[in-house]
Amino acid sequence: MAPVATAASAIPASRLTGQHDRPSMVSVGTIIWLSSELMFFAALFAAYYTIRSVSPELWPANTEKLNVPFAAVNTTILVLSSVTCQMGVFKAEAGKVGRSGRLFNVGAWGLREWFLLTYVMGAIFIAGQATEYASLIQEGVTIPDSAYGTMFYLTTGFHGLHVTGGLIAFLFVLGRTYVARTFTHEQAVSAIVVSYYWHFVDVVWIGLFATIYIIK
């Protein structure tokens, strides 16, 4: 029978955030990396608004083809996944890796259950995005069709790739909990930094949703 991580006592805050007066280098490195990702998306936003300003006639005809209610539901799922992700982080900080009761007893869930739910919600978002792409392509909104199509698929597509990367990270964290014999502070830190990334892609999508679907 393969060894799996078992519940441990609450991880001391000093082990999660680094030594006294010294932050965790993993957390600092993640934040610095996310800062570079923020610059990347800022460039995409700048390109979107620049092309829109020089070709405003392309926007009215193409934005009418967007399914805003569908995108709003998809956005809600992704935003709520940040809540479930953070619940998993709280359980990781408490050293609770797995559930201690029945599956439908949400209060007894551990890191695994909350992260699995987050993974499912993220996967639903990606599936919804793929469904929307298929619909828009049938409507004639494609990358070679116009500058609007180019910017729409570039901005949402790169974000979708980042969400996919987050889903892979969740699998990595979950896999470690099943392989390791005990749940350590290193695994808790991994869960925390993955949550940083997930919250980041969620916030970026809120900006994209407002730009593409509300402001249009």
Side-chain angles (χ1 to χ4, degrees), residues 112-185:
R112 289 180 188 143
E113 289 73 31
W114 285 112
F115 268 25
L116 280 171
L117 178 57
T118 305
Y119 179 89
V120 170
M121 295 171 77
I124 291 173
F125 174 82
I126 291 296
Q129 194 172 49
T131 300
E132 184 181 26
Y133 282 3
S135 176
L136 288 174
I137 290 173
Q138 291 181 350
E139 293 283 341
V141 181
T142 61
I143 290 178
D145 177 65
S146 66
Y148 174 85
T150 299
M151 291 313 305
F152 175 84
Y153 289 110
L154 277 180
T155 53
T156 60
F158 272 116
H159 178 268
L161 288 176
H162 280 73
V163 173
T164 302
L167 296 178
I168 295 173
F170 281 124
L171 292 178
F172 174 75
V173 172
L174 290 168
R176 288 185 66 185
T177 68
Y178 282 102
V179 172
R181 290 181 177 274
T182 58
F183 186 69
T184 64
H185 78 279

Side-chain angles (χ1 to χ4, degrees), residues 43-206:
L44 287 179
F45 276 104
Y48 180 93
Y49 281 109
T50 298
I51 293 177
R52 179 181 175 181
S53 67
V54 298
S55 304
E57 70 282 356
L58 296 175
W59 260 247
N62 286 285
T63 54
E64 287 298 320
K65 300 173 183 177
L66 297 176
N67 189 339
V68 178
F70 179 84
V73 171
N74 215 28
T75 298
T76 301
I77 293 173
L78 185 64
V79 172
L80 289 178
S81 73
S82 261
V83 177
T84 60
C85 177
Q86 192 59 39
M87 291 299 295
V89 170
F90 291 151
K91 296 301 181 180
E93 292 174 345
K96 187 174 182 180
V97 64
R99 61 187 173 90
S100 56
R102 294 180 180 274
L103 179 60
F104 294 104
N105 182 7
V106 178
W109 282 10
L111 166 67
R112 289 180 188 143
E113 289 73 31
W114 285 112
F115 268 25
L116 280 171
L117 178 57
T118 305
Y119 179 89
V120 170
M121 295 171 77
I124 291 173
F125 174 82
I126 291 296
Q129 194 172 49
T131 300
E132 184 181 26
Y133 282 3
S135 176
L136 288 174
I137 290 173
Q138 291 181 350
E139 293 283 341
V141 181
T142 61
I143 290 178
D145 177 65
S146 66
Y148 174 85
T150 299
M151 291 313 305
F152 175 84
Y153 289 110
L154 277 180
T155 53
T156 60
F158 272 116
H159 178 268
L161 288 176
H162 280 73
V163 173
T164 302
L167 296 178
I168 295 173
F170 281 124
L171 292 178
F172 174 75
V173 172
L174 290 168
R176 288 185 66 185
T177 68
Y178 282 102
V179 172
R181 290 181 177 274
T182 58
F183 186 69
T184 64
H185 78 279
E186 287 86 1
Q187 292 183 55
V189 170
S190 296
I192 291 171
V193 297
V194 168
S195 76
Y196 290 166
Y197 177 83
W198 195 252
H199 296 325
F200 170 79
V201 297
D202 279 10
V203 171
V204 169
W205 179 254
I206 291 173

